[in-house]
Amino acid sequence: MTTFDRVLIAGAGPVGLVAAANLVRHGIPVTVLEAGPDLSTESRASTFHPPTLDMLADLDVVKPLIEQGLIAPKLQYRNRRDGLIAQFDFGDIADQTRHPFRLQCEQSKLTRIIHDKLRGNPDFEIAFASPVRGVTENSDSVTVTVERGGRSEAHDYRWLIGADGARSDVRRALGIGFEGFTWPERYLVVSTPFDFYGAIPDLVSVSYMADPVRWHFLLQIPGLWRVMFRIAAEESDQLALSPDFAQALMAQVVPGIDRYEIVHTTLYRVHQRVAEAFRAGRAFLIGDAAHVNNPLGGMGMNGGIHDAINLTGRLIEVWRGNKPEAELERFDLQRRLVTKEHVERQSIQNKKNLESDDYEFRDWLRRTAADPALTRDYLLRVSMIGSLARAEQLG
Ligand SMILES: Cc1cc2nc3c(=O)[nH]c(=O)nc-3n(C[C@H](O)[C@H](O)[C@H](O)COP(=O)(O)OP(=O)(O)OC[C@H]3O[C@@H](n4cnc5c(N)ncnc54)[C@H](O)[C@@H]3O)c2cc1C
């Protein structure tokens, strides 16, 4: 079967569906092939940064997302000895974004909103239980092998976007390396409906508790708080997932409270990897297929959505004949460089900050919060507005 006049997107995660939404909005026919039987409901990303919300507003999906999420205008750093060290307010960069706040909302809500919006549009088709397995490039198309109902089928598309997550089959089929490393420790996320506002004075909905050994990170989502802890390499998965262990970690959050209602716990490994190339001819990698990083600072999905908008904006121009195919090189150049320069660097720095308890870090935080120019610079970096500006500078 020839489906030459379509773009194929592998993966219906947040990044693949944002790419689909932007192409369909511009009248470009898209097929999405998703390995799973339905959209994933897994509890993963829950932070949307200001420029990502601006992009989602352009796709006309931000209003329902905000309605289902929680607006977080401030973030803070604390430690056990001093309590509140510094607090930042995204209102200080309100001239740079239409959404001067983080939105706390699970990524599964975004995928459902986009899917429901695109369903029924003649330029959009999606097939579940249809993993992409093979890719062959031709001079003016790309042949994709898909597994469906126990059979293998081959179809031709004009372009292929691999948004099929960290273990990307598209990346493997293209023979693109995924260089980097895996941190020795793992992270445990404990979700509880406990009212932390009643127990911790001055708390805001995004709060980092710095500590060299037992740091934690408190993040409120609608109806729940997520508390993230570091699990040392020598602590086994079995131990980390035992209810008593989670309760013992939670007992360190508020002095005097040692029993919590725990709704669920998730343990996961953390990687820092960037693909050797984001483009191979007619095929592209975006989102976790192209890069993975630790979740501190919430940059994985956000960076992936920035990839999706950057790439599809160029594909639209090339598809319409307004720009030559060479335009697509700029996607690889811009997004790979800012992923390395900003997303990798900032997420590693965020991890170091949380593990720090030295005077220098506290002093730096306090000075930054007290100085409007330093505050602005800090907020532009953590909101990822800085990384987008840097991409633009690359031409
Ligand atoms: C606990 C946790 C918290 C996080 N918090 C944040 C956060 O707050 N902010 C943030 O920005 N990031 C966060 N992240 C990272 C974020 O979840 C990922 O970056 C994000 O899911 C990437 O989206 P994606 O669409 O690229 O990939 P995925 O969400 O992994 O989606 C890929 C899709 O492709 C499908 N697929 C796989 N193989 C194939 C195939 N061969 N063919 C077709 N389909 C296939 C999968 O089934 C899946 O539906 C967090 C991650 C974790 C684990």
Side-chain angles (χ1 to χ4, degrees), residues 37-283:
D38 199 347
L39 296 176
S40 169
T41 54
E42 206 188 330
S43 172
R44 288 172 70 186
S46 55
T47 296
F48 290 84
H49 288 303
T52 310
L53 296 170
D54 291 347
M55 292 173 189
L56 297 176
D58 294 340
L59 299 180
D60 202 22
V61 293
V62 85
K63 198 163 166 276
L65 194 70
I66 290 175
E67 281 165 6
Q68 294 179 46
L70 195 143
I71 287 177
K74 295 179 182 165
L75 68 86
Q76 63 179 204
Y77 271 92
R78 314 176 73 92
N79 73 9
R80 292 200 168 82
R81 193 177 36 238
D82 308 310
L84 182 62
I85 308 172
Q87 187 160 298
F88 298 92
D89 187 335
F90 287 98
D92 289 335
I93 52 167
D95 59 333
Q96 298 289 315
T97 170
R98 285 169 277 155
H99 302 87
F101 48 83
R102 285 181 171 183
L103 184 74
Q104 305 302 137
C105 184
E106 284 168 319
Q107 67 182 57
S108 56
K109 301 217 170 111
L110 176 67
T111 48
R112 182 55 63 192
I113 289 168
I114 297 180
H115 178 261
D116 290 352
K117 184 177 169 60
L118 294 182
R119 203 168 38 187
N121 187 310
D123 286 329
F124 177 72
E125 59 178 35
I126 185 164
F128 291 99
S130 304
V132 167
R133 296 292 186 219
V135 180
T136 315
E137 219 204 320
N138 318 308
S139 60
D140 57 359
S141 68
V142 54
T143 305
V144 171
T145 313
V146 52
E147 246 173 59
R148 221 191 312 245
R151 288 205 331 266
S152 186
E153 303 169 8
H155 303 272
D156 285 354
Y157 297 89
R158 200 183 298 186
W159 305 100
L160 164 65
I161 300 178
D164 52 343
R167 297 199 179 118
S168 173
D169 285 301
V170 171
R171 190 183 63 234
R172 196 153 6 97
L174 295 171
I176 296 176
F178 203 33
E179 291 182 344
F181 64 92
T182 300
W183 294 99
E185 65 263 51
R186 289 137 301 145
Y187 290 180
L188 183 73
V189 178
V190 180
S191 301
T192 175
F194 182 78
D195 174 22
F196 282 107
Y197 288 128
I200 304 177
D202 311 323
L203 185 71
V204 296
S205 54
V206 179
S207 181
Y208 299 94
M209 170 70 84
D211 188 274
V213 185
R214 282 290 184 216
W215 55 257
H216 64 257
F217 166 37
L218 278 169
L219 182 96
Q220 192 185 21
I221 59 170
L224 287 176
W225 283 86
R226 284 183 174 181
V227 194
M228 183 187 286
F229 301 93
R230 170 186 177 273
I231 304 298
E234 57 277 13
E235 290 164 328
S236 71
D237 286 7
Q238 197 190 7
L239 174 71
L241 287 167
S242 66
D244 285 351
F245 189 80
Q247 290 289 355
L249 290 175
M250 291 290 281
Q252 300 170 19
V253 177
V254 183
I257 298 182
D258 58 9
R259 217 64 210 164
Y260 284 85
E261 180 188 343
I262 292 177
V263 180
H264 48 78
T265 53
T266 319
L267 179 69
Y268 59 96
R269 229 164 245 300
V270 189
H271 313 272
Q272 302 277 159
R273 293 180 191 278
V274 182
E276 276 169 352
F278 287 9
R279 178 187 181 192
R282 301 194 150 266

Side-chain angles (χ1 to χ4, degrees), residues 330-347:
R330 297 174 68 206
F331 157 72
D332 182 293
L333 171 78
Q334 292 189 351
R335 293 307 307 166
R336 234 176 77 73
L337 203 94
V338 298
T339 298
K340 279 182 154 307
E341 268 187 7
H342 285 251
V343 177
E344 284 290 289
R345 199 173 291 170
Q346 186 66 45
S347 62

